[in-house]
Amino acid sequence: MSQRSKRLPRAVREQQMIDAAIQVFSERGYHSAIVTEIAERAGVSKPMVYLYLGSKEDLFLACVRSCARELTAALQEYARPELTPEQRLWQGLTAFFTFVADYPERWNVLYQQAAKHGSTIAAGVAEARDQILLDVTRLVRDDPATGQQTPPDRTRMSDKEAEFVARALVGAADSLTDWMRSYPDEGPEQVTRRLMTMVWVGMGNAHAGQIWSPPG
Amino acid sequence: MSQRSKRLPRAVREQQMIDAAIQVFSERGYHSAIVTEIAERAGVSKPMVYLYLGSKEDLFLACVRSCARELTAALQEYARPELTPEQRLWQGLTAFFTFVADYPERWNVLYQQAAKHGSTIAAGVAEARDQILLDVTRLVRDDPATGQQTPPDRTRMSDKEAEFVARALVGAADSLTDWMRSYPDEGPEQVTRRLMTMVWVGMGNAHAGQIWSPPG
């Protein structure tokens, strides 16, 4: 982390600064974080941080983008076409909760710190979130029976319906990260199983066009 | 709204100022909102706003508390013990989505504006959110078959499990308010039915201790 060699390629050095900044932003919050500490932890000078990554706001935005890129990459690993939708959802949720458990500081920057900020940063976060929603929507739209996208002539689930399910899933998963933190004996695998228990049957029903009706 | 009578009781006048402030904070955001505009819309002088409600931060916190109180009251109406858990969840979700549809500016202050702020305000919001989580957890813990809390000797769902389901529900519902805004043809009733479709069977399974297992 704190190798001082001048020979490091720019991209590597930038990533070192970003990694240090993610730690500091996560621990202190945006407003209390100071660039001096970030520079120290990255083993570079403060002017070098400004030179490479710009203002504190620019640096924070770079952190948000880096965290979003890593989360998206972690989620996309599951998207192998040979898996059934059930397997992909299971593995996607496992990947998500594993990311949150393994990199709490990245999740903190992406979810809690970034929510507090103005338009430029909010736009960066919204972009990452939209990409994830899009991936989940595509997953939901696939036919649970065949694992393929339902052919147009027998599409039962519209984009609107798939977006509904995707938003509910993403909202539930985001919210459950707090629960996972409260119960350290429950790891990503258990959280995923519990969430699958709660939503998988209902997703199948929604896909088949069966809508719940009020009792009585 | 803009009655200028000096005879109004203090509580009524305060609520008028708070209602005006909710509108302005929702439209402009906290930082761009100015107390002059709030005073104008409430039909009072700017010094009177400061005298009654304190600083802009105090005023915002009063708005958050007022919105939280109204949402909690709307949700608690459903908690009649003669209803089954299914009916209560259905009516609770309907009450929630109706509140969001009818008072978008209140939901905006409570959910989007408040999330951006520092410790005092965040604590006020966290308190409101914890109260709602507690209510939903209690609802979830009730036996779906009898509508009563399961007696201790046959409790199948622990507090931990009930909190899991409650957090997932609250997270999904929060997230779906964006979906409802994107599809104006879908009202609170439809959104509730869709969410019930997605979670009700699974909640019953979780309550009965059936945990989903990975396929294959």
Side-chain angles (χ1 to χ4, degrees), chain B residues 14 17-18 21 25 30 35 38 49-66 117 120-121:
Chain B
E14 268 189 20
M17 293 180 202
I18 289 172
F25 283 129
Y30 178 77
V35 175
I38 295 170
V49 174
Y50 288 121
L51 179 69
Y52 273 46
L53 289 157
S55 68
K56 182 171 152 183
E57 195 189 13
D58 293 335
L59 180 54
F60 187 74
L61 189 54
C63 290
V64 168
R65 292 211 169 114
S66 166
H117 293 279
T120 323
I121 289 170

Side-chain angles (χ1 to χ4, degrees), chain A residues 86 160 167 175 186 197 212, chain B residues 160 167 175 186 197 212:
Chain A
E86 185 176 18
K160 187 172 92 169
R167 265 194 198 277
S175 168
E186 297 266 339
T197 301
W212 176 92
Chain B
K160 187 173 92 168
R167 264 194 199 277
S175 168
E186 297 266 339
T197 302
W212 175 92

Side-chain angles (χ1 to χ4, degrees), chain B residues 72-85:
Chain B
T72 309
L75 291 177
Q76 273 169 351
E77 269 180 55
Y78 71 88
R80 284 174 291 142
E82 72 270 22
L83 299 179
T84 66

Side-chain angles (χ1 to χ4, degrees), chain A residues 63-77:
Chain A
C63 290
V64 168
R65 292 212 169 114
S66 167
C67 295
R69 217 167 29 238
E70 285 173 42
L71 175 57
T72 309
L75 291 177
Q76 273 169 352
E77 268 180 56

